Amino acid sequence: MSHAQTLIPAQPAPKQAHKPITATRITGYVVVALWIVLAAALVTMVVTGWDPEKFTRYGPRYLHGLYTTIALVVISVFFGAILSLPLAFARMSKNRFINGIAYCYVYVFRGTPLLAQLFLIYYGLGSFRPQLETVGLWWFFRDAWYCGLFAMTINTAAYQAEILRGAIQSVPRGQHEAAASLGIHQVIAFRKIVLPQALIVALRPYGNEIILLIKGSAVVAIITVLDLMGETRYAFSRTFDYQTYLWAAIFYLTMVEALRHLWAWIERRLTRHLKR
């Protein structure tokens, strides 16, 4: 049996390889510099073009539009989540008829633009006014706000149903088998074991869907709903100042960033037992 008589002396760290300056790196530096210059120019124009009179006149309208946008998104997400539950179960059903109906719903509302759906509801259902008055629903579909809310709800329900279905199916089959071996009822096992794990998986896609809905909600301004974009269009039509849209972009960016940080905190909170 042999053994080393002397230890190998410590060797210096290898020299870092010198990265050559390539055309790709130069292009990247130029693009980043252009973005920095553009951002500085926008900030400068906002500061130099600040008009206290416009802020006093249109500031309350922006806040009203912000409230309308948040209300539309929150309510549509809530009712969309309720509607997505039966849709997700129908998509996972072994009954081909039920599965086919749910598949067609999801396929249509995920495959067509929200704007087209909004026009079909707001303008298309107006052609059926006598029938809607007969069943007592005309009061709902004659109001642009309700039409926008309905379009956003059925649109996000399709996306949420697919998110929930994928999350439920991602839970290992062994979880179901372990619950059955312990004599736990299927409904209790789903509510106590499967669904909590599925919601953790679905948390980030849900956040992305809400962010997309916040940005997509701007289309309701086309049907005269005075949300944030609707109030922005009103302010621009009175001032012809491009900064009205810049302030709208800042409001949308603030909402998205606030939601992103809130969702990251919720995710850290719910997955703290998974951290090592």
Side-chain angles (χ1 to χ4, degrees), residues 222-238:
I222 299 177
I223 60 170
T224 70
V225 177
L226 292 178
D227 67 329
L228 181 57
M229 185 55 65
E231 296 289 6
T232 302
R233 293 176 63 191
Y234 175 85
F236 181 78
S237 67
R238 296 296 187 275

Side-chain angles (χ1 to χ4, degrees), residues 181-198:
S181 66
L182 294 173
I184 302 175
H185 193 272
Q186 289 184 354
V187 176
I188 298 177
F190 177 80
R191 186 167 58 89
K192 297 282 189 178
I193 300 173
V194 177
L195 190 59
Q197 297 180 69

Side-chain angles (χ1 to χ4, degrees), residues 18 34 43 206 218 267:
H18 178 68
L34 287 176
V43 172
Y206 266 122
E267 186 177 12

Side-chain angles (χ1 to χ4, degrees), residues 47-161:
V47 173
T48 56
W50 176 259
D51 190 345
E53 181 182 354
K54 292 179 182 177
F55 177 79
T56 305
R57 183 176 180 181
Y58 298 106
R61 298 191 69 98
Y62 271 89
L63 293 179
H64 174 265
L66 180 64
Y67 170 78
T68 303
T69 296
I70 293 175
L72 280 171
V73 172
V74 170
I75 297 174
S76 61
V77 167
F78 175 75
F79 286 107
I82 295 175
L83 182 59
S84 68
L85 283 172
L87 281 173
F89 286 120
R91 286 285 288 118
M92 295 184 291
S93 174
K94 294 182 180 179
N95 187 306
R96 297 183 63 180
F97 178 73
I98 297 176
N99 186 288
I101 293 177
Y103 174 80
C104 291
Y105 176 92
V106 171
Y107 180 81
V108 169
F109 285 99
R110 291 179 70 204
T112 55
L114 176 59
L115 181 61
Q117 299 165 20
L118 184 64
F119 281 167
L120 286 174
I121 293 170
Y122 184 66
Y123 296 112
L125 292 181
S127 304
F128 302 94
R129 177 176 178 176
Q131 292 81 0
L132 292 173
E133 287 180 339
T134 302
V135 296
L137 290 177
W138 178 241
W139 66 270
F140 184 90
F141 290 103
R142 73 180 180 183
D143 192 303
W145 194 90
Y146 287 122
C147 288
L149 177 64
F150 183 69
M152 291 171 60
T153 298
I154 60 178
N155 179 271
T156 189
Y159 285 94
Q160 291 188 48

Side-chain angles (χ1 to χ4, degrees), residues 240-258:
F240 296 100
D241 186 356
Y242 78 96
Q243 289 194 34
T244 55
Y245 287 104
L246 182 59
W247 283 110
I250 292 174
F251 274 111
Y252 280 111
L253 182 62
T254 302
M255 284 191 291
V256 170
E257 280 299 303

